[in-house]
Amino acid sequence: SGGGAGAAMWARGLWALLAALRAGWCLLPQAGYLHPDEFFQSPEVMAGDILNLQVYYPWEFLSSSPCRTVVFPLMTSGVTYWVIKSLQQLDMCSSCINSYTLLVSPRLLFTIFSFILDYSVYRLAPFWEADPWKALVLLAGSYVTLVFYTRTFTNTLEGLLFALLMVLVSSRKAGGSVAELTSSPLIGIVTTAGFFNRPTFLAFALMPLLYWAGLIVDSEKGIKTVINHFLKLVLCACFTAVVFITADTFYFTSVGLDNLYSIKNSSLLDVIGQLHEKMIVTPFNFLSYNLNPHNLALHGSHPRVTHFTVNGIMLFGILHILAIRAGFKMLKKYIHQLIRVKSYYHGSSGLLVHSEGNPTLLLFYFVPLAFLSLFSHQEPRFLIPLILPLVLFSTSQNRAVKWKHVITIFNVLGALLFGCLHQGGLIPCLFHLEQLTHSPEPSNDPRHYTLLFAHTYMPPRSLLNIKERDTHIEVIDMAGSGEETLCRIVGQRANNFTCNNCHVFVIIPGTVRATITKCGVSFKNETLIFPHLSMEDPPQLPFLFSGNWRSQLGLYILQLDRDR
């Protein structure tokens, strides 16, 4: 019909527009800072390893406590940093390495990878009886895709691997018959890679793997075929694990670079022996750390229902609520069926495969949610992989259409809050300080800079682009220190007269600026970076409506006046 074709064209155009927004906003760059992990679990570590910049190595990457695989950081941020380093060495550009390229190049790679999500939705929509273009618009218009999937989180990679796994297990031909299940080796590789990236991937992989096992058993092939599939999967999973363990062991132990020379002269057996002795399996270290409730409490404890009642709504809005409602309806229906039909013969996998695609999609959404809810540390970003089953579910049977205005407003607000406002002054502030500290100076009197960050998220040192051997810039992260500590440190710096060409900067949100004025030091110039919203020190509403509202939503760079 003409109307249908017109709507499809409109949806395609809208998707293309939203895809352009995703790429363009990444290049702008996006100023919001979601969580320290977006820097400290990949780009920051690689900037130190590959570009030899001064960085802060988080504890998970120290050889004393290796809890994160290095394979994914190397394949993502590592590759992009290697590229800009090579361009600079080849004199393709004089300053390829600056705070902009350090921030944007890894993000751009993730943004390109994020289109795996779009491809998966396009491939899966017909299979789950959803309209492909409506599903794509819902996906591309979600602020989760625009903001979270363009950032360097391990959760982003987890979402992409989950999407690939769903594509691999949904291999039914259009006619309804099960296609030749040739994907078992790939399923093994993706599942293991996902587990090494974040062990919680097993919660996401559980339903797809059970579904796939159900398809194989239902395909009424011989037992030999079934065993054959499972063997292929296990073999490929083991091979992938060996690759990750070897790479991590090389990276985290001295078997690595220091001993390469001695390795050349020793036999292969010696090398294998050495590797085996020091073998590092990062997911097991990660699990043993995270299964200790005391450790999790250090990162913040939340009620077990946080994912269901807060995080799901915060990320997906009305779609999460609609899914819960549909879930309750289906549960009621099944319980009625169970009561009515005491004896029902078809096994559980039959129930999943043959019912209209939706109950299964709901399980793909709620089973991982339930598993993640068992842990007391519950952050919204842990749920971002669930966008795929949720979008497919919401567009099957046109569930989301009548809520389109609510969905649009929700995503515009989410994108503004997390993409622009949330800790939004910190990255522009680092860009500003990078230019300031790299400005030309007389060689006979080199400047020294002290940068004091107070009441902000951890500043990623790599964005200041300081060479490892440089000693003229000192970064002090005061985190959420109280007034007393803050004034003591600032006072020490103000009264340190041994250093004559010293510049001390205090970086602090407008909402807590008053604390600094109580310290009895004076500032000679100040820069206000707008907007910056700190949830830890939120602006008071009366101030927001006064003439002073910009300072409440800003981040100050204050330069100490050491002459007075």
Side-chain angles (χ1 to χ4, degrees):
S1 70
M9 277 300 293
W10 165 246
R12 283 173 198 203
L14 192 51
W15 175 81
L17 210 71
L18 289 164
L21 172 67
R22 194 188 318 175
W25 200 11
C26 166
L27 294 168
L28 253 180
Q30 218 179 90
Y33 177 174
L34 299 173
H35 189 280
D37 283 2
E38 67 176 287
F39 294 104
F40 293 95
Q41 284 179 4
S42 181
E44 182 84 357
V45 177
M46 289 299 118
D49 289 346
I50 288 168
L51 303 175
N52 303 322
L53 296 178
Q54 270 183 39
V55 297
Y56 174 82
Y57 281 99
W59 64 271
E60 300 107 314
F61 282 96
L62 301 176
S63 49
S64 53
S65 54
C67 281
R68 299 250 171 225
T69 180
V70 77
V71 175
F72 283 109
L74 276 171
M75 281 166 55
T76 53
S77 308
V79 168
T80 56
Y81 286 167
W82 178 81
V83 168
I84 56 176
K85 183 183 184 175
S86 307
L87 288 176
Q88 186 149 313
Q89 284 170 344
L90 295 167
D91 279 338
M92 298 273 203
C93 58
S94 54
S95 57
C96 292
I97 301 170
N98 55 53
S99 49
Y100 175 81
T101 55
L102 286 165
L103 175 77
V104 171
S105 61
R107 278 190 183 179
L108 188 59
L109 188 67
F110 271 73
T111 304
I112 293 165
F113 283 160
S114 74
F115 286 94
I116 291 174
L117 216 53
D118 302 71
Y119 165 77
S120 305
V121 163
Y122 188 74
R123 276 283 308 272
L124 289 165
F127 183 82
W128 295 104
E129 289 141 35
D131 178 304
W133 286 102
K134 278 181 186 159
L136 277 171
V137 167
L138 197 57
L139 172 82
S142 165
Y143 87 86
V144 173
T145 310
L146 287 167
V147 177
F148 283 84
Y149 275 93
T150 56
R151 304 297 180 92
T152 45
F153 281 120
T154 50
N155 310 83
T156 304
L157 293 170
E158 185 170 45
L160 301 177
L161 290 165
F162 179 51
L164 288 174
L165 190 61
M166 277 192 64
V167 170
L168 290 172
V169 301
S170 308
S171 58
R172 220 182 329 170
K173 284 217 180 77
S177 66
V178 176
E180 268 308 299
L181 292 150
T182 49
S183 47
S184 37
L186 287 172
I187 290 174
I189 292 168
V190 169
T191 307
T192 312
F195 175 66
F196 272 84
N197 174 51
R198 287 185 73 83
T200 51
F201 187 70
L202 294 183
F204 294 99
L206 179 68
M207 278 314 298
L209 290 175
L210 284 176
Y211 179 78
W212 176 77
L215 282 182
I216 288 188
V217 173
D218 272 14
S219 64
E220 280 133 22
K221 299 253 170 55
I223 186 79
K224 255 174 91 169
T225 325
V226 174
I227 291 172
N228 187 7
H229 278 306
F230 285 105
L231 269 178
K232 275 187 200 164
L233 187 146
V234 170
L235 275 172
C236 288
C238 290
F239 172 74
T240 311
V242 167
V243 172
F244 275 87
I245 291 167
T246 309
D248 287 339
T249 305
F250 255 90
Y251 179 82
F252 284 111
T253 64
S254 56
V255 169
L257 307 175
D258 314 340
N259 287 22
L260 277 180
Y261 296 110
S262 61
I263 284 176
K264 277 180 189 163
N265 309 324
S266 53
S267 70
L268 183 64
L269 281 173
D270 289 348
V271 176
I272 292 171
Q274 262 187 310
L275 279 171
H276 183 259
E277 234 170 84
K278 301 184 174 179
M279 193 167 69
I280 285 176
V281 189
T282 48
F284 292 156
N285 298 345
F286 177 91
L287 284 169
S288 66
Y289 178 87
N290 281 299
L291 291 173
N292 180 340
H294 171 69
N295 289 340
L296 273 189
L298 296 175
H299 299 271
S301 272
H302 308 100
R304 295 285 194 274
V305 291
T306 306
H307 279 327
F308 270 102
T309 54
V310 180
N311 296 344
I313 295 173
M314 199 163 120
L315 291 176
F316 307 122
I318 189 86
L319 298 183
H320 177 72
I321 297 165
L322 292 175
I324 290 178
R325 202 179 74 183
F328 275 122
K329 268 191 189 159
M330 279 175 195
L331 270 177
K332 228 164 76 176
K333 202 171 83 184
Y334 281 137
I335 291 165
H336 277 303
Q337 274 183 1
L338 280 176
I339 294 167
R340 270 213 314 273
V341 192
K342 274 279 186 284
S343 55
Y344 77 37
Y345 296 112
H346 48 284
S348 60
S349 70
L351 181 75
L352 292 183
V353 177
H354 303 308
S355 53
E356 83 272 34
N358 298 329
T360 318
L361 274 178
L362 273 182
L363 286 173
F364 279 21
Y365 183 72
F366 284 116
V367 169
L369 195 63
F371 270 107
L372 292 171
S373 298
L374 298 174
F375 295 96
S376 62
H377 181 56
Q378 304 194 1
E379 290 180 38
R381 64 194 166 96
F382 297 170
L383 301 184
I384 64 171
L386 296 176
I387 191 166
L388 181 68
L390 187 59
V391 158
L392 291 170
F393 177 76
S394 304
T395 36
S396 62
Q397 297 176 7
N398 270 344
R399 279 188 183 79
V401 171
K402 60 170 177 278
W403 296 98
K404 63 181 175 208
H405 300 301
V406 177
I407 292 169
T408 308
I409 294 166
F410 172 79
N411 285 310
V412 168
L413 291 176
L416 284 174
L417 176 63
F418 292 105
C420 300
L421 284 170
H422 189 258
Q423 292 284 327
L426 196 58
I427 287 167
C429 159
L430 291 166
F431 278 23
H432 175 82
L433 291 169
E434 187 241 11
Q435 288 188 325
L436 191 83
T437 52
H438 287 72
S439 54
E441 54 178 32
S443 52
N444 54 2
D445 189 15
R447 291 193 286 258
H448 184 276
Y449 294 93
T450 301
L451 311 175
L452 264 155
F453 290 85
H455 291 263
T456 66
Y457 274 9
M458 275 169 77
R461 319 281 197 276
S462 56
L463 295 186
L464 290 166
N465 190 15
I466 317 165
K467 292 277 173 283
E468 214 169 11
R469 293 175 304 284
D470 258 359
T471 52
H472 77 290
I473 304 174
E474 178 190 19
V475 177
I476 303 171
D477 182 10
M478 302 284 295
S481 301
E483 193 179 320
E484 206 179 317
T485 322
L486 202 58
C487 287
R488 194 182 73 241
I489 302 284
V490 171
Q492 279 171 6
R493 290 294 184 270
N495 301 319
N496 173 9
F497 296 115
T498 51
C499 168
N500 60 358
N501 199 356
C502 278
H503 301 268
V504 181
F505 292 91
V506 178
I507 294 94
I508 194 160
T511 46
V512 277
R513 196 197 152 173
T515 19
I516 280 283
T517 47
K518 293 177 194 164
C519 295
V521 290
S522 56
F523 298 101
K524 53 183 170 191
N525 57 20
E526 53 182 64
T527 312
L528 175 67
I529 293 179
F530 174 88
H532 177 91
L533 172 67
S534 169
M535 301 286 201
E536 288 69 28
D537 303 285
Q540 265 79 48
L541 281 176
F543 285 117
L544 279 182
F545 296 110
S546 69
N548 202 14
W549 66 275
R550 273 181 73 92
S551 79
Q552 287 287 303
L553 281 176
L555 183 68
Y556 279 97
I557 304 174
L558 306 170
Q559 185 174 4
L560 263 185
D561 188 354
R562 296 176 66 250
D563 308 327
R564 295 181 56 184

